[in-house]
Amino acid sequence: MESQLATILKKNESKILSQWVEEQKKLGSTRVSNEDLISQCTNFLRLLIEGLQKNKSFSIAGTGWDPIRRCLDEVSRARGLLGFSPSETATFVFSLKLPIFSLLRQEIADSAQLTEETWNATSLLDQLGLYTTEAYQRTREEIIARQQEEMLELSTPVVKLWDGILALPMIGTLDSSRTQVVMESLLQRIMETGSEIAIIDITGVPTVDTLVAQHLIKTVTAARLMGAECIISGIRPQIAATIVHLGVDLAGVTTKASLADAFHVALARSGRTVTKVGGARSEKLRETRV
Amino acid sequence: MQVTKTERFPIRVQSDVVVVRQKVRNWTIELGLSLIDQTKVITAASELARNTLEYGGGGEVELASLKNDIGKNGLRLIFEDQGPGIPDINLALTDGYTSGGGLGMGLSGSRRLMNEFNIESEVGKGTRVTVIKWK
Ligand SMILES: Nc1ncnc2c1ncn2[C@@H]1O[C@H](COP(=O)(O)OP(=O)(O)OP(=O)(O)O)[C@@H](O)[C@H]1O
Ligand SMILES: [Mg+2]
């Protein structure tokens, strides 16, 4: 016997809709605005009925169910962005079971037919519910991939530490096209400010491989041609050991363990020193204490 | 030798290299390597993943936890591509040799950073680089 599901749902569309929306509010879908919730539900229910009218099969894999899958893509996406969990997202579909099942009980007197139609509805809604978690997963993966890209592209500012002394604190991975851009902006700023010393601090760079080393060497060489000296600071012990094994030659480059050390060298090279206010007196104090 | 766990990751785009480094970092920590050894393995992984991408036209990496016959634990990385292959492996392993404007230190450096190093390559078929770090 032909399934009556489409006909029964169509006849009671508005009744199901209001029960379904109520059901979801009870389950706490309050983060979605009332307006959005109603429009999502209305849309989904309409597509569900259309799908049932058009498709002979209750398997949602077929192209006949494309529109409803696309609707779920959007719902999952929106909920993923709002921070819903996968099960909260799937509740959108599963909460439709209660209104539909109680409706079927009212509408169908024959118990064999009731079982049959309930089974059809369950199977369909289960597939659609599972589909939302897949769609949700895809959205999350997109978000993660985008965030990773953004981390790669973090902008690195060139800061002026003193007259004639620039610093470039690098943070994050260096092997995107970003390195090129960052290094070029350093050279640009050296030219604009007529700086004589630039400190490139790599404390925040997790891995220094040959590509990173090559970028550093190129920048140091280019800066030198412009009459500026580069100091590379923030080379942690494990990075130093690795560079040695890698066989990369940084011999022609001034390196310092910390940015503070590098700044010290930079000041000395430009003929400056830093002293404590009242330095002489505190020295004396210390002496007398000893 | 016993393989206790494996996992594979694609190396198709630049950001995959970042992911490979992060995964390898996690595995080295799990293995309990010292900070210096962690850094060595991650750096070698970075070199080999970049070669897979740049010269091999993309491929995959397999991470594996090893236990050898005397109960020693280790981490094995296998980088595989179906690219053009390496015509002269000795030349490729020479410090400073590059066909692509690099420093030419990636392969030879990785060999120094790891305990075991092996390249299989066939012109027109592809390249497989296997490296191991023992704890
Ligand atoms: N997977 C591969 N497929 C084909 N050729 C490769 C592969 N890996 C390395 N090669 C060849 O070996 C050469 C040396 O590699 P190596 O990593 O030592 O240097 P590089 O990548 O050129 O520079 P870098 O110092 O930046 O790594 C490469 O230039 C390339 O010709
Ligand atoms: Mg290389």
Side-chain angles (χ1 to χ4, degrees), chain A residues 3 68 76 82 85 89 92 102 115 151-152 171 174 192 208-209 213 218 224 265 277 279:
Chain A
S3 167
I68 201 159
S76 303
L82 284 171
S85 71
T89 305
F92 175 74
S102 53
T115 312
M151 303 251 281
L152 285 176
I171 294 174
L174 282 188
E192 283 165 11
V208 178
D209 61 7
K218 273 188 187 162
R224 196 170 285 154
V265 171
V277 177

Side-chain angles (χ1 to χ4, degrees), chain A residues 48-198:
Chain A
L48 182 69
I49 295 168
E50 281 174 17
L52 284 165
Q53 288 166 338
K54 271 190 246 141
N55 294 282
K56 288 272 163 291
S57 136
F58 289 98
S59 155
I60 65 158
T63 50
W65 293 98
D66 274 353
I68 201 159
R69 271 191 271 124
R70 230 168 298 134
C71 164
L72 284 178
D73 283 340
E74 260 165 51
V75 171
S76 303
R77 186 181 177 77
R79 295 191 171 204
L81 291 172
L82 284 171
F84 276 61
S85 71
S87 48
E88 280 174 313
T89 305
T91 299
F92 175 74
V93 175
F94 291 134
S95 58
L96 182 54
K97 281 188 175 181
L98 191 67
I100 290 188
F101 291 174
S102 53
L103 179 71
L104 291 178
R105 271 198 300 276
Q106 287 164 24
E107 294 278 328
I108 306 173
D110 179 64
S111 80
Q113 196 198 346
L114 176 60
T115 312
E116 170 85 26
E117 295 292 18
T118 306
W119 174 251
N120 288 340
T122 302
S123 129
L124 188 59
L125 289 175
D126 284 352
Q127 292 173 60
L128 291 167
L130 288 176
Y131 183 81
T132 60
T133 53
E134 276 169 36
Y136 175 92
Q137 183 71 17
R138 274 198 299 278
T139 309
R140 299 299 281 191
E141 274 160 15
E142 274 168 37
I143 294 173
I144 292 169
R146 206 189 52 230
Q147 284 173 341
Q148 276 174 346
E149 282 297 309
E150 282 167 1
M151 303 251 281
L152 285 176
E153 303 302 336
L154 274 183
S155 69
T156 303
V158 180
V159 291
K160 183 173 161 185
L161 289 183
W162 208 266
D163 278 339
I165 305 175
L166 295 179
L168 181 70
M170 304 211 64
I171 294 174
T173 60
L174 282 188
D175 53 7
S176 63
S177 50
R178 170 175 92 101
T179 316
Q180 194 80 16
V181 175
V182 166
M183 297 301 187
E184 272 163 20
S185 73
L186 176 67
L187 296 175
Q188 182 72 27
R189 288 274 285 156
I190 289 177
M191 198 180 71
E192 283 165 11
T193 58
S195 294
E196 277 160 17
I197 300 177

